[in-house]
Amino acid sequence: MNINWYLVPPRFKRIRRHFGKRPIKLMDVGTAGNSLAIAKRWLPNCQYYGVDITDAHLTADEKGRMAAFYLVNLDTDDLAAIPNRYFDAIVVAHVAEHLKDGLGALGRLSAKLAPGGRMYVEFPSVRSLNLPEARHTLNFSDDSTHIHVPDVREVANALMDQGLRIVRAGPRREWSRILLSFVSAPLQLAVYLKEGRLHGMGLWDLYGFADFVYARRPEDA
């Protein structure tokens, strides 16, 4: 079960609140986990532009439903194929921790944001280094492809260096998801008794696994 089908994912929540039902051009960096369908559920009028290092997880139908798909390596490519100052919203959720130069990549991606646009960046916090192991990742080291622990101040500074203004930043705390952690207690117990570890569902917000930075480009910038 993908809980993001029933609760608005944090990566889309603030964008949805700001733009409402207006048509927008959305660039989603990292398209795994059925992200296209989830974006279309909560932002039904968006034109969806996907960015990823591989398209192996996408079906032909999914790619056909995208306005465009950009196959890029954020550590090495210059992103020239992606238009600058074009997108109303950019989402970069749980990508920076997989990159050697996450801050540089965020700076290059922010150049693609149109005046008045919004950018949401989410990543594991330093607190995740001290959390229990879990299925679906609760500890930073659960995922062997995690190579860098981002910092809120560094991410915010990288975006501000590109002319963005920070709207809000800090630990991701969604109360609906914190309540879910208590509802999922039977599942947690079953997984713990079977595997000796927790299930990640509902615990990210309770334990503070993730931090975020939400920024905007001024209309006159």
Side-chain angles (χ1 to χ4, degrees):
M1 179 181 69
N2 191 333
I3 196 63
N4 291 322
W5 197 253
Y6 304 97
L7 297 176
V8 185
R11 66 185 186 273
F12 297 136
K13 188 172 185 178
R14 287 179 172 81
I15 291 169
R16 184 172 184 257
R17 183 183 301 153
H18 177 73
F19 289 104
K21 296 182 178 180
R22 283 179 281 168
I24 62 169
K25 294 184 286 290
L26 168 71
M27 184 166 76
D28 191 11
V29 183
T31 57
N34 209 25
S35 195
L36 167 64
I38 293 170
K40 285 288 190 177
R41 174 167 175 77
W42 300 110
L43 299 166
N45 294 318
C46 75
Q47 295 179 29
Y48 183 98
Y49 296 77
V51 177
D52 217 319
I53 195 171
T54 180
D55 61 359
H57 56 280
L58 297 172
T59 65
D61 178 67
E62 286 175 318
K63 291 183 73 171
R65 293 171 60 199
M66 296 182 184
F69 177 79
Y70 302 102
L71 188 67
V72 297
N73 185 321
L74 292 173
D75 271 326
T76 60
D77 294 347
D78 61 11
L79 309 187
I82 305 175
N84 288 333
R85 301 170 68 84
Y86 181 73
F87 298 95
D88 301 299
I90 297 176
V91 172
V92 192
H94 294 276
V95 172
E97 64 270 22
H98 299 272
L99 303 175
K100 295 177 181 178
D101 183 21
L103 296 179
L106 290 173
R108 293 190 295 276
L109 289 167
S110 69
K112 313 303 177 180
L113 191 66
R118 297 296 191 270
M119 184 168 180
Y120 180 90
V121 184
E122 185 176 305
F123 44 89
S125 72
V126 69
R127 295 178 298 279
S128 70
L129 295 171
N130 299 314
L131 297 180
E133 291 186 356
R135 186 194 296 176
H136 301 309
T137 306
L138 190 60
N139 184 296
F140 182 87
S141 299
D142 286 345
D143 188 335
S144 61
T145 66
H146 287 176
I147 60 175
H148 176 73
V149 181
D151 178 84
V152 170
R153 288 169 294 186
E154 291 178 347
V155 171
N157 285 333
L159 299 185
M160 288 190 290
D161 285 345
Q162 302 302 318
L164 273 62
R165 307 280 178 83
I166 306 304
V167 178
R168 193 170 181 183
R172 195 191 94 179
R173 300 286 189 187
E174 297 285 337
W175 285 106
S176 58
R177 292 169 184 264
I178 291 174
L179 291 174
L180 179 64
S181 68
F182 298 102
V183 175
S184 67
L187 171 64
Q188 303 297 346
L189 179 60
V191 173
Y192 183 78
L193 291 176
K194 182 178 179 180
E195 303 180 14
R197 58 179 181 164
L198 298 173
H199 190 288
M201 187 177 73
L203 296 181
W204 277 32
D205 295 81
L206 180 66
Y207 282 107
F209 177 90
D211 284 332
F212 76 95
V213 176
Y214 180 53
R216 65 179 178 88
R217 184 178 295 283
E219 293 280 357
D220 57 355

